[in-house]
Amino acid sequence: HHHHHHHGPPHASSSPSPPRAVPFLDALRPHVRELCVETLRLERKRHLWLHQLLSLLAVYCGPSVATEALCHLLSLARVPEELALAAQLHSLLSVSLPGLLPAAVQRCAAQIHTQSLAPTELAQLLLNLATVVQSQEDEGAAGGGGPASMAAQVGAAVSKHLQDFSPLLLHSDPSVSQAAAQLLAASQLPRAVRPAHLLNITRAAVAHFFLALRWEGEGEGEAEREVVREAAVSCSVRLLSRLAAFSPLTLKAVLQQLVEGGLHRGHAPLFGGGGREDGGCPPWPSDAHFSSTSSSS
């Protein structure tokens, strides 16, 4: 039963026999991030007990610590082995603390608004969320998964927060806008989405498409940059296809905005036109332009 579980520090508990305080764990409470960083080093002997310590701390302190730890792991993990730690921690905790993944995604979305993540961490978070969501398709193909799987839960939670993630398609840091495109291209659009939100997402996706076409790409040589550029454009096209297939409204919006974008003088060089005399491109509409339309349905 739920009420036996200990949430929050002991003194906050109103049950007749409060669980005994563990000063050691209370002292660790402010250091969840460092624990996550150390655990992710995957040093053979240490990371197992660090992982157990993290889960013990989460069970002792309750859902907020568990959610925080998952958020850190999702924004700090750089390779699949590290990302797997988030899944392991979740499976350890989900028995006693249900609803952790939606809470973690919500916390991640809130961090976007408070801008508390550096661009490198933000990009990594988006890529990791995309990886988790994409793994749902692999699970489905393998006959595993199911609605309770981590991929399914994260996918459903990201869908709920698309409105928070879509402005990142126009982030000034290309690695962030690219990662946002990967996440959105992998995500389902929620059926209950408001038309105004859909149009915001569509507008950001079309603007991102033109950004991707014009992007220089990152990498050592020209060949490597070309690969990066092509990946960016194909990801953008996947996202636009998903939007266009969603409903007659989004199809019309995607086509209309692509045509308007194509006629835009700044984009003329992409399509063999002369473009502006100075050869420069007009600045992108700012995020404010995108969010200002959300109020009108």
Side-chain angles (χ1 to χ4, degrees):
H1 281 298
H2 218 33
H3 54 269
H4 292 312
H5 285 298
H6 169 44
H7 299 302
H11 50 82
S13 167
S14 57
S15 60
S17 55
R20 198 171 294 130
V22 184
F24 167 62
L25 290 175
D26 286 324
L28 276 177
R29 170 76 182 84
H31 302 288
V32 176
R33 187 192 157 91
E34 291 111 295
L35 268 178
C36 290
V37 170
E38 288 301 316
T39 307
L40 286 168
R41 290 195 171 155
L42 289 174
E43 289 170 6
R44 212 179 65 216
K45 300 239 165 60
R46 286 176 67 224
H47 97 266
L48 290 171
W49 68 258
L50 278 168
H51 202 265
Q52 286 171 326
L53 188 57
L54 255 185
S55 50
L56 185 65
L57 185 63
V59 170
Y60 173 77
C61 294
S64 64
V65 166
T67 303
E68 186 190 337
L70 276 175
C71 270
H72 288 312
L73 293 175
L74 284 169
S75 51
L76 294 168
R78 288 200 197 91
V79 291
E81 296 77 36
E82 294 178 3
L83 187 53
L85 287 180
Q88 288 165 25
L89 184 66
H90 172 252
S91 60
L92 269 173
L93 297 175
S94 56
V95 185
S96 57
L97 301 170
L100 279 185
L101 288 170
V105 172
Q106 188 172 358
R107 187 188 161 112
C108 293
Q111 284 182 324
I112 294 170
H113 293 295
T114 56
Q115 295 174 339
S116 52
L117 290 178
T120 42
E121 277 188 22
L122 182 53
Q124 193 64 61
L125 168 68
L126 296 168
L127 287 176
N128 286 339
L129 287 173
T131 302
V132 173
V133 173
Q134 277 160 343
S135 68
Q136 196 176 352
E137 290 163 21
D138 310 338
E139 283 173 355
S149 78
M150 180 166 174
Q153 286 189 62
V154 170
V158 168
S159 287
K160 272 209 192 90
H161 289 281
L162 282 190
Q163 183 71 0
D164 299 304
F165 291 112
S166 61
L168 296 177
L169 289 167
L170 303 173
H171 195 279
S172 56
D173 187 310
S175 64
V176 174
S177 74
Q178 257 329 95
Q182 287 198 19
L183 177 59
L184 285 162
S187 300
Q188 299 295 332
L189 289 155
R191 276 285 150 207
V193 68
R194 292 193 7 230
H197 286 185
L198 263 183
L199 292 175
N200 280 348
I201 295 169
T202 304
R203 205 173 285 120
V206 172
H208 175 269
F209 171 68
F210 287 111
L211 269 181
L213 284 178
R214 233 174 37 203
W215 193 34
E216 297 296 316
E218 287 157 343
E220 295 302 305
E222 181 48 42
E224 197 180 317
R225 283 202 295 274
E226 184 58 33
V227 170
V228 174
R229 276 202 297 268
E230 281 180 15
V233 172
S234 76
C235 178
S236 200
V237 168
R238 262 205 324 280
L239 173 55
L240 288 181
S241 310
R242 174 157 271 189
L243 280 163
F246 182 72
S247 72
L249 170 77
T250 49
L251 174 60
K252 184 174 169 239
V254 166
L255 293 175
Q256 186 182 348
Q257 284 159 31
L258 279 174
V259 170
E260 283 172 12
L263 296 174
H264 198 293
R265 291 186 65 187
H267 297 145
L270 293 172
F271 303 101
R276 308 201 309 184
E277 291 67 51
D278 60 6
C281 290
W284 277 111
S286 66
D287 287 348
H289 170 77
F290 288 96
S291 49
S292 64
T293 51
S294 61
S295 49
S296 59
S297 264

Short mmCIF file of all heavy atoms in Angstrom, two decimals, residues 253-279:
data_model
loop_
_atom_site.label_atom_id
_atom_site.label_comp_id
_atom_site.label_asym_id
_atom_site.label_seq_id
_atom_site.Cartn_x
_atom_site.Cartn_y
_atom_site.Cartn_z
N ALA A 253 -1.42 24.17 -43.55
CA ALA A 253 -0.48 25.11 -42.94
C ALA A 253 0.96 24.87 -43.41
O ALA A 253 1.69 25.81 -43.73
CB ALA A 253 -0.56 25.01 -41.41
N VAL A 254 1.37 23.59 -43.46
CA VAL A 254 2.73 23.26 -43.89
C VAL A 254 2.96 23.75 -45.32
O VAL A 254 3.95 24.42 -45.62
CB VAL A 254 3.01 21.74 -43.78
CG1 VAL A 254 4.28 21.36 -44.53
CG2 VAL A 254 3.13 21.33 -42.31
N LEU A 255 2.00 23.43 -46.20
CA LEU A 255 2.16 23.81 -47.62
C LEU A 255 2.19 25.33 -47.77
O LEU A 255 3.05 25.88 -48.46
CB LEU A 255 1.03 23.21 -48.46
CG LEU A 255 1.06 21.68 -48.58
CD1 LEU A 255 -0.16 21.17 -49.34
CD2 LEU A 255 2.35 21.23 -49.27
N GLN A 256 1.26 25.97 -47.11
CA GLN A 256 1.17 27.43 -47.23
C GLN A 256 2.46 28.10 -46.74
O GLN A 256 2.99 29.00 -47.39
CB GLN A 256 -0.03 27.90 -46.40
CG GLN A 256 -0.34 29.38 -46.54
CD GLN A 256 -1.52 29.77 -45.63
OE1 GLN A 256 -2.22 28.90 -45.11
NE2 GLN A 256 -1.73 31.05 -45.45
N GLN A 257 2.97 27.62 -45.58
CA GLN A 257 4.17 28.25 -45.03
C GLN A 257 5.42 27.91 -45.83
O GLN A 257 6.34 28.73 -45.93
CB GLN A 257 4.32 27.86 -43.56
CG GLN A 257 3.35 28.63 -42.68
CD GLN A 257 3.10 27.94 -41.36
OE1 GLN A 257 3.98 27.28 -40.84
NE2 GLN A 257 1.90 28.11 -40.83
N LEU A 258 5.46 26.71 -46.42
CA LEU A 258 6.59 26.37 -47.29
C LEU A 258 6.61 27.29 -48.51
O LEU A 258 7.66 27.78 -48.93
CB LEU A 258 6.52 24.91 -47.74
CG LEU A 258 7.02 23.87 -46.74
CD1 LEU A 258 6.74 22.47 -47.27
CD2 LEU A 258 8.52 24.04 -46.47
N VAL A 259 5.43 27.53 -49.09
CA VAL A 259 5.35 28.40 -50.26
C VAL A 259 5.76 29.83 -49.88
O VAL A 259 6.58 30.46 -50.54
CB VAL A 259 3.93 28.37 -50.87
CG1 VAL A 259 3.77 29.46 -51.92
CG2 VAL A 259 3.66 27.00 -51.49
N GLU A 260 5.19 30.31 -48.76
CA GLU A 260 5.55 31.67 -48.32
C GLU A 260 7.04 31.77 -48.05
O GLU A 260 7.69 32.75 -48.42
CB GLU A 260 4.78 32.03 -47.04
CG GLU A 260 3.33 32.40 -47.32
CD GLU A 260 2.52 32.57 -46.03
OE1 GLU A 260 3.14 32.63 -44.94
OE2 GLU A 260 1.28 32.63 -46.12
N GLY A 261 7.59 30.74 -47.40
CA GLY A 261 9.03 30.74 -47.11
C GLY A 261 9.85 30.72 -48.39
O GLY A 261 10.88 31.39 -48.49
N GLY A 262 9.40 29.95 -49.36
CA GLY A 262 10.12 29.84 -50.62
C GLY A 262 10.11 31.15 -51.40
O GLY A 262 11.04 31.44 -52.15
N LEU A 263 9.04 31.93 -51.22
CA LEU A 263 8.94 33.22 -51.92
C LEU A 263 9.69 34.33 -51.19
O LEU A 263 9.88 35.40 -51.72
CB LEU A 263 7.46 33.62 -52.07
CG LEU A 263 6.61 32.69 -52.93
CD1 LEU A 263 5.15 33.11 -52.88
CD2 LEU A 263 7.10 32.67 -54.37
N HIS A 264 10.06 34.03 -49.94
CA HIS A 264 10.75 35.01 -49.11
C HIS A 264 12.06 35.40 -49.79
O HIS A 264 12.85 34.54 -50.17
CB HIS A 264 11.04 34.34 -47.76
CG HIS A 264 11.34 35.31 -46.67
ND1 HIS A 264 12.46 36.08 -46.68
CD2 HIS A 264 10.66 35.62 -45.54
CE1 HIS A 264 12.47 36.82 -45.59
NE2 HIS A 264 11.39 36.55 -44.87
N ARG A 265 12.34 36.68 -49.92
CA ARG A 265 13.52 37.10 -50.68
C ARG A 265 14.81 36.56 -50.07
O ARG A 265 15.76 36.26 -50.80
CB ARG A 265 13.58 38.62 -50.77
CG ARG A 265 12.47 39.16 -51.65
CD ARG A 265 12.61 40.66 -51.85
NE ARG A 265 13.84 40.98 -52.59
CZ ARG A 265 14.27 42.22 -52.78
NH1 ARG A 265 13.61 43.24 -52.24
NH2 ARG A 265 15.37 42.46 -53.45
N GLY A 266 14.84 36.45 -48.76
CA GLY A 266 16.05 35.96 -48.13
C GLY A 266 16.36 34.52 -48.51
O GLY A 266 17.50 34.07 -48.44
N HIS A 267 15.33 33.75 -48.90
CA HIS A 267 15.55 32.34 -49.23
C HIS A 267 15.75 32.14 -50.72
O HIS A 267 16.00 31.03 -51.16
CB HIS A 267 14.36 31.49 -48.78
CG HIS A 267 14.16 31.51 -47.30
ND1 HIS A 267 12.91 31.46 -46.72
CD2 HIS A 267 15.04 31.57 -46.28
CE1 HIS A 267 13.05 31.51 -45.41
NE2 HIS A 267 14.32 31.58 -45.11
N ALA A 268 15.60 33.20 -51.51
CA ALA A 268 15.68 33.04 -52.96
C ALA A 268 16.95 32.31 -53.43
O ALA A 268 16.87 31.46 -54.31
CB ALA A 268 15.56 34.41 -53.65
N PRO A 269 18.12 32.60 -52.83
CA PRO A 269 19.33 31.90 -53.30
C PRO A 269 19.22 30.38 -53.19
O PRO A 269 19.82 29.65 -53.98
CB PRO A 269 20.43 32.43 -52.38
CG PRO A 269 19.92 33.72 -51.83
CD PRO A 269 18.43 33.59 -51.79
N LEU A 270 18.44 29.88 -52.22
CA LEU A 270 18.29 28.43 -52.05
C LEU A 270 17.63 27.82 -53.28
O LEU A 270 17.84 26.67 -53.61
CB LEU A 270 17.41 28.12 -50.84
CG LEU A 270 17.95 28.47 -49.46
CD1 LEU A 270 16.87 28.27 -48.42
CD2 LEU A 270 19.15 27.59 -49.15
N PHE A 271 16.79 28.63 -53.92
CA PHE A 271 16.00 28.09 -55.02
C PHE A 271 16.46 28.68 -56.35
O PHE A 271 15.70 28.79 -57.30
CB PHE A 271 14.51 28.38 -54.79
CG PHE A 271 14.04 27.82 -53.48
CD1 PHE A 271 13.89 28.65 -52.37
CD2 PHE A 271 13.80 26.48 -53.31
CE1 PHE A 271 13.49 28.14 -51.14
CE2 PHE A 271 13.40 25.95 -52.10
CZ PHE A 271 13.24 26.79 -51.01
N GLY A 272 17.72 29.13 -56.39
CA GLY A 272 18.29 29.61 -57.64
C GLY A 272 17.92 31.05 -57.98
O GLY A 272 18.22 31.52 -59.05
N GLY A 273 17.25 31.75 -57.04
CA GLY A 273 16.89 33.15 -57.30
C GLY A 273 18.04 34.07 -56.96
O GLY A 273 19.08 33.64 -56.45
N GLY A 274 17.86 35.35 -57.22
CA GLY A 274 18.95 36.30 -57.00
C GLY A 274 19.14 36.66 -55.54
O GLY A 274 20.25 36.92 -55.10
N GLY A 275 18.08 36.68 -54.77
CA GLY A 275 18.20 37.05 -53.37
C GLY A 275 18.44 38.53 -53.21
O GLY A 275 18.27 39.30 -54.14
N ARG A 276 18.87 38.92 -52.02
CA ARG A 276 19.07 40.34 -51.77
C ARG A 276 20.42 40.78 -52.30
O ARG A 276 21.36 39.99 -52.37
CB ARG A 276 19.00 40.59 -50.27
CG ARG A 276 17.76 39.98 -49.68
CD ARG A 276 17.38 40.58 -48.37
NE ARG A 276 18.50 40.61 -47.40
CZ ARG A 276 18.35 41.04 -46.16
NH1 ARG A 276 17.18 41.43 -45.75
NH2 ARG A 276 19.37 41.06 -45.33
N GLU A 277 20.52 42.05 -52.63
CA GLU A 277 21.75 42.56 -53.23
C GLU A 277 22.95 42.34 -52.31
O GLU A 277 24.03 42.01 -52.76
CB GLU A 277 21.62 44.07 -53.52
CG GLU A 277 20.65 44.41 -54.65
CD GLU A 277 19.18 44.11 -54.32
OE1 GLU A 277 18.72 44.55 -53.26
OE2 GLU A 277 18.52 43.40 -55.12
N ASP A 278 22.73 42.53 -51.02
CA ASP A 278 23.88 42.44 -50.11
C ASP A 278 24.28 41.00 -49.82
O ASP A 278 25.22 40.75 -49.09
CB ASP A 278 23.58 43.18 -48.79
CG ASP A 278 22.38 42.60 -48.08
OD1 ASP A 278 21.84 41.56 -48.53
OD2 ASP A 278 21.98 43.18 -47.06
N GLY A 279 23.51 40.08 -50.36
CA GLY A 279 23.85 38.67 -50.18
C GLY A 279 23.53 38.14 -48.80
O GLY A 279 23.67 36.96 -48.54
#
